[in-house]
């Protein structure tokens, strides 16, 4: 076995957001890749990334989901990968007081690429389904606690995500009625950057119980 890393973990412009790109190994049958290794991912994060819940979403073409995050505490970090179809995946900094608050990172995800995006607590997630029957896989660091979901408007003009829409997106009633980031911050709904940093430090010290 080669000692060469089989995945590359890259820190993106938003603190706490990482892109994970595997190195496929092809042969006559197709190809194989490692989605991630706990040791390499934990080294990049500076803390463990335990997997406590696994989710899937299936979406028709033109579906826009998000922006979603959770309150801190309890938080719920996510590693998101497109396992069928194609999606425009977006991470948004929703941590009040963060130097990159309201900024975003866009990653095109296609089935078979194995590219994943890890989002720390306080980072919002949204995606646009670019094909039919898009399936997204979510590896979550904690079990979801009902009542802790935070919704922010994915079409917020101040955030200005370049979705490239050519028509009306398919959205849930909840997502369509979600407040802008400014409205959510003014209402005290968004996590504070200081609380997120304290959460990260707690995880580094001993992991989430």
């Amino acid at each position: 076995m080669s000692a060469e890393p089989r995945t590359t973990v890259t820190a993106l412009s938003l603190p706490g957001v990482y892109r994970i790109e595997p190195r496929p190994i092809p042969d006559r049958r197709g190809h194989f890749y490692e989605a991630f290794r706990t040791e390499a991912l934990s080294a990049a994060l500076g803390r463990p990334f335990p997997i406590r819940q696994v989710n899937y979403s299936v979406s028709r073409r033109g579906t826009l989901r998000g922006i979603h995050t959770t309150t801190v505490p309890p938080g719920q970090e996510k590693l998101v990968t497109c396992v069928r179809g194609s999606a425009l995946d977006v991470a948004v900094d929703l941590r009040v007081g963060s130097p990159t608050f309201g900024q975003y990172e866009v990653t095109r995800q296609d089935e078979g690429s194995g590219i994943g995006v890890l989002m720390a607590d306080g980072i919002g997630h949204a995606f646009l389904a670019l094909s039919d029957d898009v399936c997204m896989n979510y590896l979550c660091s904690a079990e979801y606690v009902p009542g802790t979901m935070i919704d922010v408007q994915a079409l917020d003009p101040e955030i200005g995500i370049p979705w490239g829409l050519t028509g009306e997106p398919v959205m849930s009633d909840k997502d369509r009625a979600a407040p802008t980031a400014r409205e959510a911050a003014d209402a005290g709904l968004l996590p504070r950057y200081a609380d997120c940093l304290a959460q990260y430090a707690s995880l580094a010290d001993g992991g989430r119980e």
Side-chain angles (χ1 to χ4, degrees):
M1 293 285 288
S2 170
E4 182 181 350
R6 297 194 184 279
T7 58
T8 301
V9 181
T10 305
L12 301 184
S13 65
L14 308 181
V17 179
Y18 298 82
R19 183 173 296 143
I20 301 168
E21 299 184 60
R23 180 174 62 86
I25 303 171
D27 64 21
R28 67 173 64 90
R29 301 165 297 176
H31 66 271
F32 170 89
Y33 61 82
E34 295 179 353
F36 74 96
R37 287 193 180 202
T38 297
E39 184 177 356
L41 192 54
S42 296
L45 290 172
R47 61 183 183 276
F49 179 70
I51 299 173
R52 301 284 172 78
Q53 182 172 324
V54 180
N55 301 331
Y56 292 89
S57 66
V58 178
S59 305
R60 56 183 286 195
R61 184 191 300 266
T63 292
L64 181 57
R65 293 183 185 255
I67 307 166
H68 302 148
T69 190
T70 55
T71 59
V72 177
Q76 188 187 53
E77 297 184 296
K78 302 179 186 73
L79 173 54
V80 182
T81 307
C82 180
V83 295
R84 185 172 64 234
S86 300
L88 196 66
D89 196 70
V90 181
V92 184
D93 193 342
L94 297 179
R95 301 166 295 189
V96 175
S98 167
T100 55
F101 177 78
Q103 296 180 29
Y104 58 83
E105 279 279 359
V106 178
T107 301
R108 166 80 182 230
Q109 293 201 29
D110 298 290
E111 64 177 82
S113 72
I115 293 175
V117 178
L118 187 139
M119 286 159 265
D121 291 328
I123 299 293
H125 175 245
F127 75 87
L128 176 68
L130 301 177
S131 60
D132 284 321
D133 206 27
V134 170
C135 184
M136 302 293 281
N137 169 240
Y138 309 74
L139 304 181
C140 305
S141 67
E143 294 182 12
Y144 173 67
V145 177
T148 62
M149 177 71 75
I150 299 171
D151 304 305
V152 170
Q153 178 56 248
L155 300 175
D156 182 344
E158 278 197 68
I159 297 176
I161 299 169
W163 293 115
L165 296 169
T166 57
E168 190 71 15
V170 180
M171 302 174 73
S172 69
D173 292 341
K174 180 168 66 76
D175 283 350
R176 193 171 292 280
T180 65
R182 184 181 297 273
E183 290 169 341
D186 289 346
L189 300 177
L190 299 183
R192 297 189 310 139
Y193 188 50
D195 292 338
C196 292
L197 292 181
Q199 178 103 323
Y200 307 155
S202 174
L203 294 173
D205 287 342
R208 186 180 273 115
E209 295 299 329

